[in-house]
């Protein structure tokens, strides 16, 4: 099956079958119910609920410290909730991890530019969950990495050290790692921060492709123009989920003012007070 038309030629039959089953069953890709997370006695997130379907692009919007990173860490299993429930494709987080269902692309990878690891090797890390303990790549792993690099237009740079790439190229390399993993849920933290125009356009086109493939993309961003431009859904967060749903209904000056602590809506939307958003 051609990966450009919505299939995963390199995915195992078992994993691809589960992908199709979720889409047909109507099970949410991300299902969070009354989630609470504490840090050393301090509440980082409380009573947060949201339900995201297969095949959508969702913006996660809120101030610094509002709980966006906490939500990502809970969805990936790095933080254990003190209360509430998370399901990924109907599975508990630990089961979803075993199925390689969730891929996380952080804002900063903390790459040591002197460390001699190639772009190919970085993207291959996305396949580790499908390998045995010796982590010897199979033919399917190599095909997955090659296809992922092609999709982000980095195949010609596959042997280059990751530290030698530009900031935009590194963003694409780590997105390729998530693609190679074959995850149906992609969590991206400020993916457009510090990238060039070419990379921004390529990534936006990839997100639309992912949506057609039935993947769900949750994007944490401070650039509200991106939410307006291509997010189907938006989640507004400030220690809890204040509102979520279709962007046209939720992404309003009133809701943004709540999410950003009462700041004037014109500062948030980029429009003057007498100029309504387009």
């Amino acid at each position: 099956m051609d990966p450009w038309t919505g299939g995963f030629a390199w995915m195992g039959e078992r994993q691809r079958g589960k992908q199709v089953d979720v889409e047909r069953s109507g099970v949410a890709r991300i299902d969070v119910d009354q989630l609470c997370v504490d840090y050393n006695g301090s509440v980082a997130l409380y009573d947060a609920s949201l339900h995201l379907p297969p095949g959508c692009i969702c913006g996660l919007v809120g101030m610094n410290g509002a709980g966006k990173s906490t939500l990502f860490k809970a969805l990936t299993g790095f933080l254990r909730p003190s209360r509430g429930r998370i399901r990924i494709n109907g599975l508990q987080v630990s089961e979803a991890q075993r199925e390689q269902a969730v891929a996380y692309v952080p804002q900063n990878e903390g790459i040591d530019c002197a460390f001699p690891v190639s772009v190919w090797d970085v993207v291959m890390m996305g396949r580790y969950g499908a390998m045995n303990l010796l982590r010897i790549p199979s033919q399917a792993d190599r095909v997955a990495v090659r296809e992922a690099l092609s999709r982000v237009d980095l195949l010609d740079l596959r042997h280059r050290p990751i530290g030698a790439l530009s900031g935009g190229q590194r963003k694409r390399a780590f997105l390729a790692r998530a693609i190679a993993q074959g995850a149906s849920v992609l969590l991206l933290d400020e993916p457009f921060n510090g990238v060039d125009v070419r990379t921004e356009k390529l990534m936006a086109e990839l997100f639309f492709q992912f949506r057609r493939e039935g993947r769900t993309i949750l994007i944490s961003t401070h650039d509200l123009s991106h939410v307006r431009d291509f997010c189907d859904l938006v989640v507004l967060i400030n220690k809890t989920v204040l509102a979520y749903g279709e962007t046209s209904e939720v992404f309003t000056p009133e809701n943004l003012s709540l999410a950003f602590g009462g700041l004037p809506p014109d500062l948030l939307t980029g429009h003057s007070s007498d100029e309504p958003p387009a």
Side-chain angles (χ1 to χ4, degrees), residues 2 7 55 60 77 87 96 106 138 143 182 190 192 214 222 246 251 259-260 278:
D2 183 357
L60 179 63
R87 293 291 185 271
S138 66
V143 169
E190 298 289 346
F192 298 108
H222 285 98
E246 293 187 11
F251 203 64
F260 285 85

Side-chain angles (χ1 to χ4, degrees), residues 109-138:
E109 291 286 345
I111 289 296
D112 182 356
C113 293
F115 190 71
V117 59
S118 70
V119 173
W120 178 274
D121 290 336
V122 167
V123 179
M124 184 62 75
M125 292 175 186
R127 301 295 299 167
Y128 281 179
M131 296 180 188
N132 58 28
L133 293 178
L134 297 178
R135 290 183 175 171
I136 300 174
S138 66

Side-chain angles (χ1 to χ4, degrees), residues 33-195:
D33 186 40
Q34 298 295 302
L35 182 70
C36 296
V37 180
D38 299 330
Y39 279 129
N40 299 321
S42 298
V43 176
L45 202 60
Y46 68 92
D47 294 340
S49 298
L50 63 109
H51 312 278
L52 302 183
C56 73
I57 304 172
C58 181
L60 179 63
V61 175
M63 300 184 296
N64 289 333
K68 300 188 297 295
S69 295
T70 297
L71 177 60
F72 275 179
K73 290 176 182 177
L75 291 172
T76 53
F78 286 106
L79 283 179
R80 184 185 297 274
S82 55
R83 186 164 60 86
R85 189 189 72 166
I86 299 174
R87 293 291 185 271
I88 306 292
N89 295 335
L91 304 173
Q92 295 183 12
V93 172
S94 58
E95 295 175 289
Q97 286 178 311
R98 287 194 293 272
E99 296 292 337
Q100 297 290 291
V102 182
Y104 173 50
V105 182
Q107 180 177 355
N108 296 308
E109 291 286 345
I111 289 296
D112 182 356
C113 293
F115 190 71
V117 59
S118 70
V119 173
W120 178 274
D121 290 336
V122 167
V123 179
M124 184 62 75
M125 292 175 186
R127 301 295 299 167
Y128 281 179
M131 296 180 188
N132 58 28
L133 293 178
L134 297 178
R135 290 183 175 171
I136 300 174
S138 66
Q139 178 62 22
D141 294 324
R142 289 188 286 271
V143 169
V145 171
R146 189 176 187 87
E147 290 182 354
L149 284 167
S150 295
R151 295 189 74 172
V152 301
D153 197 21
L154 284 180
L155 187 59
D156 290 344
L157 302 181
R158 61 189 180 277
H159 300 306
R160 184 169 297 185
I162 190 71
L165 298 185
S166 68
Q169 289 170 334
R170 281 200 297 271
K171 288 270 189 179
R172 283 188 274 151
F174 291 112
L175 181 58
R177 184 180 66 182
I179 295 171
Q181 182 179 321
S184 57
V185 173
L186 301 178
L187 308 177
L188 298 105
D189 189 1
E190 298 289 346
F192 298 108
N193 189 32
V195 303

Side-chain angles (χ1 to χ4, degrees), residues 25 29 36-37 70 74 86 98 116 150 168 176 197 212 235 246 258 266-267 271 278:
S25 67
R29 285 272 185 237
C36 296
V37 180
T70 297
I86 299 174
R98 287 194 293 272
S150 295
V197 174
R212 290 194 296 270
V235 176
E246 293 187 11
L258 287 174
D266 58 297
L267 295 180
H271 295 273

